[in-house]
Amino acid sequence: MRGWGAAGPSLALIKYWGKASAEANTPATGSLAVTLGALESRTEAAFDDRDSVVVNGAEQPLERFSSFLGALKRELGLEGRGLAVTSANNFPTAAGLASSSSGFAALAGAAAALAGAQLPAAKLSALARLGSGSATRSVYGGFTVFDAGAEAADVEQGEDHWPDFRVVLCVVREAAKATSSRRAMEFSRATSPYYGRWVETSPAVLAEARLALAACDWSRLGPLIRQSYLRMFSTMFTAAPPLIYWQPESLALIHELQTLRDEGFTAWETMDAGPQVKVFCPADQVDAVVARLAAKVPGARFLTAAPGPGLRSGIVP
Ligand code: PMV
C-alpha cells in the first residue's frame, strides 16, 4: 500500500525570513503567499524496513529529513516503522523555486494517507511546517497567510479571487543553491544589524498587503511586494560574512522590470533564497513581459503559473 500527496509551491508576496522559535520552526515574520498551479511535487510513501527519500530519482542524504520523518511518525502513530519516500517535481529542484514547500506538504499528505489518518487541513499545515516554513502554506490553495509565531497557515483568498493574477518564474540558473534558506535566515538573525528592524517593520507591510490583495489592487500591492523582498535581502547583504544569492542575470531582470514599469506595465518581482526572479503581473501582460525579459537574459527559462489548488492526497490504487 502506498499513500500519495501532491502540492504546488508556495511563493511569498510578503516574506517570512527568520524564526520565532527555531525548535518549533515558527516564523518571526508573517507572510502572504500564492500557491502555484501547474507546478507540482508529487510524493508517495510506503512502509519499508528503513527510511529512505528519493527525489527526482536521486537518493537523498537522510539528515535533512530524519527529524521531519520522526515528527510525522509520532504524529501519525507510525513509530518504529520505516518509510520509503519517493518524490518528483515537474520544475527545477532546490533552485529557489520553493520546491521544499511543495515537497514537504506533499509528503505530509502522503504519510497521513498511508496512516489512514483523516486530518483537518490546519493539522496537515502544522505538520508540514516541521519540514519547512513555506510548506505550512502549500497545504492550502489560492492566496495564503502564515502569521508570525503561528503553527499553521490559513487561506487568505481563494484560488479564484483574482482571475487575471499570474506569476512568471524566470529561471536564470538551474543549479541547486549553496546555502539553504534555513541556514541563511539563522545567519541573518545572528549577524545582521538590520535583522531586528526587518522583524519590527514587517507587520505593517503585511497588514497593508492583505488589504491590497483583498482589493486586487496592483498599484498598492506591487510596491509592498518589492519592499518585502528587498528588506529581506538587506538582512543577507549585511550579514557577516555577507550572503549574496543574486547573480548578474537576476539584477539585469530587476532593472528591466523597472524599465517596464516606467513604460506602464504592472509587473512586480520578488526573489527567494536563490538567483531566480519571480514576476507577478496581469495575464494580458505575460507575453510582452516574457519577451522583454528573454531579450535581456537570453539563457533564462520562463514558466508561467496561476494560483492553484492546495494539497491533494489519497491511496495509490
Ligand atoms: O520554507 P523555508 O523555511 O525554507 O523558508 C523559505 C523562505 C523564503 O522562501 C525566502 C520566503 C518565504 O516566505 O517563502
Side-chain angles (χ1 to χ4, degrees):
M1 189 171 77
R2 279 173 298 149
W4 68 272
S10 170
L11 173 61
L13 292 75
I14 303 300
K15 304 297 183 183
Y16 127 67
W17 189 252
K19 314 282 188 198
S21 157
E23 207 192 348
N25 205 30
T26 49
T29 62
S31 52
L32 184 67
V34 59
T35 302
L36 303 180
L39 280 67
E40 181 177 278
S41 296
R42 194 186 155 98
T43 303
E44 293 187 4
F47 293 121
D48 200 359
D49 44 16
R50 65 178 186 99
D51 287 339
S52 59
V53 178
V54 172
V55 177
N56 288 341
E59 179 127 22
Q60 303 293 307
L62 270 180
E63 303 93 77
R64 174 72 183 94
F65 298 93
S66 52
S67 77
F68 182 56
L69 289 175
L72 265 184
K73 289 183 209 173
R74 268 192 307 283
E75 215 48 63
L76 296 169
L78 301 177
E79 283 119 318
R81 312 211 50 178
L83 284 181
V85 174
T86 53
S87 190
N89 299 323
N90 66 356
F91 59 96
T93 301
L97 286 188
S99 60
S100 69
S101 61
S102 49
F104 283 112
L107 174 51
L114 179 68
Q118 302 290 330
L119 300 181
K123 185 76 198 171
L124 283 165
S125 173
L127 261 182
R129 184 191 86 249
L130 304 174
S132 104
S134 51
T136 318
R137 302 183 308 236
S138 275
V139 167
Y140 297 97
F143 296 89
T144 61
V145 69
F146 184 19
D147 282 318
E151 296 195 339
D154 209 344
V155 176
E156 176 73 5
Q157 301 287 348
E159 218 178 306
D160 302 324
H161 169 65
W162 196 342
D164 81 335
F165 188 95
R166 292 291 181 278
V167 181
V168 176
L169 304 163
C170 316
V171 182
V172 300
R173 303 255 170 136
E174 304 235 359
K177 63 191 164 196
T179 309
S180 72
S181 43
R182 185 176 290 232
R183 280 187 50 214
M185 61 179 76
E186 169 52 21
F187 193 58
S188 305
R189 184 197 63 76
T191 67
S192 168
Y194 298 141
Y195 177 82
R197 289 294 284 152
W198 153 252
V199 173
E200 280 162 33
T201 57
S202 288
V205 178
L206 176 62
E208 180 59 24
R210 292 173 84 160
L211 297 175
L213 174 65
C216 300
D217 186 339
W218 287 110
S219 63
R220 271 166 75 200
L221 187 57
L224 297 164
I225 289 172
R226 186 175 50 176
Q227 198 166 63
S228 179
Y229 90 92
L230 290 172
R231 287 183 184 180
M232 174 183 83
F233 275 100
S234 299
T235 72
M236 295 181 237
F237 297 149
T238 52
L243 198 57
I244 305 177
Y245 285 107
W246 296 14
Q247 293 293 338
E249 297 91 334
S250 321
L251 196 53
L253 294 179
I254 289 172
H255 283 301
E256 184 63 5
L257 283 154
Q258 184 57 53
T259 305
L260 285 165
R261 285 191 295 272
D262 292 345
E263 292 173 16
F265 284 87
T266 39
W268 297 90
E269 80 283 357
T270 191
M271 293 178 68
D272 293 288
Q276 326 306 0
V277 176
K278 296 105 181 216
V279 182
F280 304 101
C281 69
D284 63 359
Q285 294 184 19
V286 166
D287 291 348
V289 166
V290 169
R292 288 284 293 272
L293 298 181
K296 270 286 154 197
V297 180
R301 193 148 75 93
F302 297 89
L303 311 171
T304 304
L311 174 64
R312 289 135 283 145
S313 64
I315 293 292
V316 177

